[in-house]
Amino acid sequence: MKKIYLAIDRNAERWLLLVFYVMLVGTMFIEVVRREVFSYSSIWGEEIVRYSFIYLAWIGAAAAIRERAHIRIDVILNYVPNTIKALLYIFGDVVMFAVALVAIYWSWETLHVSWTFGSVTHGLRISQTFFLFAVPFGFALMLFRLTQSFLRDLSHLREGRAVYEGDRLFD
């Protein structure tokens, strides 16, 4: 059971990102061929690409939290001791956790209104809640990854180890 959890923990976002990316690229390719070769395009293709991109963005944000890969200005962090660095990362995680909670609340409200009134997409004519669910789903994943990051930083701080900073783009 622990192996399954570790595999999901390591690769869940990767697999979800792969699925939505393949769906986005495949649908876009089909729509370009249809438009250029057959002089015909569909509205459903545009919607699938749009909603796949939305899911990609929110799942990718959660994956970036796991790897600490969000864009940040870390010049100051190079000059402070490890304890201050860990405390700054913990503070950032707590602030982002609060923002994510507020975002989940308001995005869930939007989802609830869409569900209540039965709104559908224009092209696919399916419930819009499937696509509006991307925002609370993405923020829930972020909350999970932020909790992991917070606990990891806290244990590093207690043990006196260097805080995890993720990979750097330029060293």
Side-chain angles (χ1 to χ4, degrees):
M1 186 67 170
K2 188 170 180 158
K3 275 186 163 183
I4 293 172
Y5 170 74
L6 288 175
I8 290 172
D9 185 46
R10 264 194 307 266
N11 299 314
E13 286 100 347
R14 285 180 171 176
W15 285 104
L16 287 172
L17 289 171
L18 178 66
V19 166
F20 284 109
Y21 187 72
V22 167
M23 190 170 17
L24 182 144
V25 171
T27 306
M28 196 179 302
F29 175 76
I30 289 168
E31 286 301 305
V32 168
V33 168
R34 288 177 70 182
R35 185 173 294 146
E36 297 301 322
V37 175
F38 301 113
S39 297
Y40 177 77
S41 64
S42 64
I43 194 168
W44 64 265
E46 177 192 342
E47 281 191 358
I48 287 189
V49 169
R50 182 183 325 130
Y51 296 131
S52 295
F53 185 75
I54 290 169
Y55 269 96
L56 269 173
W58 291 113
I59 295 168
I65 287 173
R66 182 185 187 280
E67 297 298 323
R68 208 167 251 152
H70 281 283
I71 295 173
R72 64 184 181 271
I73 299 172
D74 58 358
V75 173
I76 296 172
L77 295 177
N78 294 330
Y79 299 106
V80 296
N82 282 334
T83 55
I84 302 295
K85 193 181 296 188
L87 290 172
L88 286 172
Y89 278 126
I90 288 171
F91 176 73
D93 287 346
V94 169
V95 169
M96 189 58 211
F97 195 90
V99 169
L101 284 175
V102 170
I104 283 178
Y105 174 79
W106 287 109
S107 62
W108 196 262
E109 180 72 24
T110 304
L111 184 71
H112 177 69
V113 167
S114 177
W115 178 270
T116 302
F117 291 105
S119 61
V120 296
T121 62
H122 298 292
L124 295 170
R125 307 299 298 167
I126 61 175
S127 177
Q128 202 165 9
T129 57
F130 293 118
F131 307 111
L132 291 174
F133 183 69
V135 180
F137 176 69
F139 275 109
L141 278 175
M142 284 184 204
L143 286 176
F144 177 69
R145 293 303 184 185
L146 282 165
T147 303
Q148 285 181 326
S149 176
F150 176 78
L151 294 174
R152 177 185 59 210
D153 292 344
L154 206 57
S155 73
H156 286 188
L157 183 63
R158 280 190 198 138
E159 296 167 6
R161 293 187 299 167
V163 69
Y164 176 73
E165 296 186 68
D167 295 330
R168 292 178 180 250
L169 188 58
F170 303 106
D171 278 330

